[in-house]
Amino acid sequence: MTIEASQLAPAREDRPASEPATLPVLQVRGVSKRFNTKRSDTLALSNINLDVAEGEFVCVVGPSGCGKSTLLNVVAGFELPDEGEVLTSGTPIRGAGSDRVVVFQEAALFPWMNVRANIEFGLKLAGVPKQERRDRANEYLKLVGLQPFDRAFVHELSGGMKQRVQIARSLAVDPKILLMDEPFAALDAQTRDVLQEELQSIWQRTGKTILFITHNVREAVLLADRVIVMSPSPGRIKREIRISLDHPRSPDSHAVVDLSADIREELRNPDHLAVGPGERWTI
Amino acid sequence: MSRAPGALAATIGETRSLKVPWKALRIAAFYLGLLSAWQLIYLAEFWPPYVFPGPRDVYEALRYNIENGDLWEAGKVTLRRMAIGYSLSIVIGLAIGVAMGSLKWVDETLGSLVLGLQSLPSVTWFPLALLWFGLNERAIIFVVLMGSVNSVAISSRTGVLGIPPLQLRAARMFGGRWWEQTLYVVLPGMLPSMVQGLKLGWSFAWRSLLAAELLFVSISLGHLLQVGRDLNDVSQVVAIMLVIVAVGIAVDRLVFGRLEGWVNERWGLRQP
């Protein structure tokens, strides 16, 4: 009996390997979400379809009320779609999970834990042994440049440092995809510039798949391989623009500035069409 | 944990050592004045000494109770009841309060009952406790429990509702079992809005216990008060009252003061 079972086990493990390796990390399939209140009935998301490939950096941009945050909440598993489904590596999601970790805009760290404990929190819940937790936390403290502050409490950190801790805490559990919900929107301009630069370098070093929500067009153009433009009422994907500029990019480079101005014009004026994929901006 | 930069810490230390401890001096002067006023009124003999004893009489009564061992015996019994009753009320109150804060239907049903029962003075549970348990420890611990469990439950409910939803959401996405979420996130997250409730629960428990002990026959702090009354010994009554106040202050400083300090340090709240 025992021998038979152990002989069967490898055969079962073989099967997933035969699946195509190109399966997108994230698939959003026909997702709709409606919010009903006493006064209004809003279609926050209308038939959203979106694939994100392994290692891709995708930014979702749009005016407030276009449903971009709702989309992130559905992907994170915090909210259920009314229609459609979300799959990670081909498997439908069931609620929130550590394969899709979110970096929130603010106030999502635990004030009763110091920086190190915050970073180790996800690992602790995953049952990672103590020594390995320490090592992993050290690695990610180093990645975000916060080693000297590992025993500091959350309230002692600046806004930018808090966001670094959130990034480290999220990456430490090695999620399939990192979800970022306007993570730099509450920061001052200088700190934002620094963190955008660091996020580019973190992404290049770790090769992590990232879905990044922002209302800042320049930020989207600066960071993303692909910008998804959403428009409101109902919240839908208007179009997507592939950005083939090399990383790291500078927020002041002509290509970034000109393309964001073009996209902003399109957001303001529906008749204007920003220069699209495969055209001027694909280098 | 030496987190403050050395130079800054040194500056603070220096200014502190040079400063006159005005606060301590003010407090000492106040109590010295109070004691002198007491002594003066006593010396003026508005009332006979057996009605209004002087500080010295009270001190003698206190020393007598310490030397014959009664105070230690009574104190031990009272504090033991307090420890058991208050611990029970924290465990039960937390469970009820967390349930009320997290589940709407519990809040609507059990919540209204808890609020209603809070209007009942705890000593009114005593007759029921005697009928149910008889004249024994269980009856008196029941009274302590009923005295404080409501305020612990209500403040736990407030505590759960006071946790920023984003923190709960962030915790949830990292997975883990429900008890891990409760132990690592919900319980510590509740603390800032709960400290006052725990304090209130303690003082309710303390009051309920002493009220109940007045009606009780075995040795305890409340019983020593009653003995003083029976013997017409005002000095003893005042001495025991002072002990009761002293225990209250000590617990407030040592237990709740530390808890508050910890919360203020972690959350970066200002010392009141």
Side-chain angles (χ1 to χ4, degrees):
Chain A
M1 278 297 278
T2 340
I3 297 163
E4 257 184 59
S6 65
Q7 280 168 339
L8 276 173
R12 274 200 211 105
E13 281 168 7
D14 280 346
R15 241 176 296 161
S18 63
E19 280 175 15
T22 51
L23 200 62
V25 173
L26 179 75
Q27 291 169 286
V28 180
R29 291 262 162 275
V31 162
S32 294
K33 176 80 186 170
R34 188 177 285 280
F35 288 114
N36 290 310
T37 60
K38 272 174 225 156
R39 277 175 297 159
S40 66
D41 177 18
T42 323
L43 191 55
L45 294 175
S46 168
N47 189 28
I48 302 288
N49 288 288
L50 174 66
D51 282 5
V52 180
E54 172 87 50
E56 207 180 2
F57 197 142
V58 174
C59 279
V60 178
V61 68
S64 43
C66 71
K68 55 191 191 296
S69 283
T70 307
L71 175 62
L72 181 125
N73 284 339
V74 168
V75 170
F78 297 140
E79 281 173 31
L80 286 174
D82 295 327
E83 284 166 41
E85 60 176 351
V86 176
L87 303 98
T88 49
S89 305
T91 317
I93 64 159
R94 283 169 45 213
S98 58
D99 56 337
R100 290 156 281 127
V101 178
V102 183
V103 173
F104 299 94
Q105 188 174 327
E106 55 195 334
L109 294 171
F110 307 121
W112 56 93
M113 299 180 192
N114 62 25
V115 166
R116 176 178 289 280
N118 264 288
I119 295 175
E120 287 184 13
F121 176 74
L123 299 170
K124 191 171 172 179
L125 292 194
V128 175
K130 204 168 178 180
Q131 187 53 47
E132 198 187 328
R133 285 209 302 262
R134 285 196 67 80
D135 295 344
R136 292 264 282 277
N138 286 338
E139 185 187 325
Y140 287 99
L141 276 164
K142 196 175 160 198
L143 184 75
V144 297
L146 283 180
Q147 293 126 304
F149 300 94
D150 69 328
R151 324 241 346 222
F153 293 122
V154 173
H155 74 90
E156 297 169 319
L157 305 175
S158 68
M161 287 158 93
K162 284 180 192 163
Q163 294 312 77
R164 285 168 207 244
V165 177
Q166 275 209 68
I167 292 171
R169 170 177 82 172
S170 307
L171 290 175
V173 296
D174 193 22
K176 279 183 185 158
I177 181 165
L178 184 63
L179 306 174
M180 306 186 83
D181 190 5
E182 307 206 29
F184 307 145
L187 303 177
D188 63 83
Q190 280 82 8
T191 311
R192 190 183 311 141
D193 283 351
V194 173
L195 278 174
Q196 284 168 348
E197 198 183 316
E198 282 186 20
L199 182 61
Q200 288 191 59
S201 113
I202 287 172
W203 174 65
Q204 284 183 298
R205 273 183 283 167
T206 60
K208 198 48 74 184
T209 312
I210 300 178
L211 182 67
F212 189 108
I213 308 289
T214 178
H215 61 261
N216 183 334
V217 174
R218 176 96 67 96
E219 185 171 64
V221 172
L222 175 68
L223 298 172
D225 289 328
R226 195 149 56 97
V227 175
I228 310 289
V229 182
M230 289 186 71
S231 62
S233 23
R236 61 193 186 279
I237 292 179
K238 195 176 175 199
R239 66 199 211 92
E240 58 174 79
I241 300 165
R242 190 165 289 280
I243 318 251
S244 318
L245 304 169
D246 282 338
H247 282 276
R249 301 171 190 160
S250 153
D252 302 317
S253 69
H254 286 294
V256 169
V257 173
D258 291 351
L259 183 51
S260 17
D262 217 7
I263 295 175
R264 264 208 298 273
E265 179 59 30
E266 181 179 331
L267 285 175
R268 254 196 310 270
N269 171 10
D271 295 332
H272 180 87
L273 197 64
V275 176
E279 291 173 51
R280 193 153 49 109
W281 305 111
T282 312
I283 298 169
Chain B
M1 228 181 276
S2 57
R3 280 174 295 98
L8 185 64
T11 329
I12 293 170
E14 242 167 68
T15 36
R16 237 179 228 164
S17 64
L18 287 172
K19 239 164 76 179
V20 183
W22 286 116
K23 191 183 162 193
L25 284 179
R26 272 201 300 270
I27 293 172
F30 171 73
Y31 282 104
L32 213 64
L34 206 63
L35 209 62
S36 319
W38 181 7
Q39 179 68 17
L40 282 175
I41 295 170
Y42 170 71
L43 287 175
E45 288 187 13
F46 291 130
W47 302 281
Y50 57 85
V51 175
F52 192 88
R56 191 169 181 90
D57 302 326
V58 172
Y59 171 73
E60 289 300 334
L62 188 63
R63 216 181 67 179
Y64 174 75
N65 272 292
I66 291 172
E67 278 171 0
N68 72 5
D70 278 0
L71 192 65
W72 293 122
E73 278 308 304
K76 267 194 291 187
V77 170
T78 298
L79 287 179
R80 185 174 159 276
R81 287 169 177 163
M82 192 61 196
I84 298 173
Y86 184 53
S87 308
L88 274 177
S89 88
I90 287 183
V91 172
I92 297 172
L94 265 177
I96 295 174
V98 170
M100 289 197 307
S102 355
L103 303 168
K104 204 173 174 190
W105 61 270
V106 178
D107 197 26
E108 286 161 355
T109 52
L110 196 59
S112 57
L113 181 68
V114 167
L115 273 176
L117 287 182
Q118 212 201 5
S119 65
L120 208 54
S122 59
V123 91
T124 57
W125 287 98
F126 202 61
L128 190 64
L130 289 179
L131 292 174
W132 278 355
F133 302 105
L135 194 62
N136 57 28
E137 289 296 300
R138 278 194 294 171
I140 206 156
I141 285 167
F142 177 74
V143 174
V144 175
L145 172 66
M146 294 318 286
S148 64
V149 73
N150 289 308
S151 63
V152 175
I154 290 167
S155 70
S156 310
R157 174 185 175 276
T158 317
V160 171
L161 296 176
I163 304 175
L166 217 53
Q167 283 173 18
L168 292 175
R169 201 170 247 202
R172 196 149 56 92
M173 76 191 174
F174 286 109
R177 279 176 281 269
W178 72 267
W179 63 264
E180 289 175 310
Q181 292 281 340
T182 309
L183 192 65
Y184 301 142
V185 181
V186 177
L187 290 180
M190 287 161 67
L191 274 175
S193 37
M194 248 207 94
V195 177
Q196 292 307 318
L198 286 175
K199 231 165 142 171
L200 201 66
W202 193 87
S203 73
F204 277 139
W206 188 230
R207 287 167 207 195
S208 318
L209 176 59
L210 284 152
E213 281 183 349
L214 285 178
L215 311 168
F216 220 63
V217 285
S218 78
I219 186 161
S220 64
L221 284 182
H223 182 65
L224 285 184
L225 273 181
Q226 192 62 18
V227 168
R229 202 209 92 157
D230 290 343
L231 299 177
N232 248 334
D233 186 348
V234 179
S235 304
Q236 158 131 350
V237 170
V238 175
I240 301 299
M241 284 171 74
L242 286 177
V243 170
I244 292 167
V245 170
V247 172
I249 292 175
V251 170
D252 192 65
R253 288 283 152 82
L254 295 179
V255 180
F256 296 107
R258 276 186 196 173
L259 186 63
E260 262 174 317
W262 186 85
V263 167
N264 289 342
E265 190 193 11
R266 294 292 165 118
W267 271 262
L269 307 170
R270 285 233 158 259
Q271 214 80 32

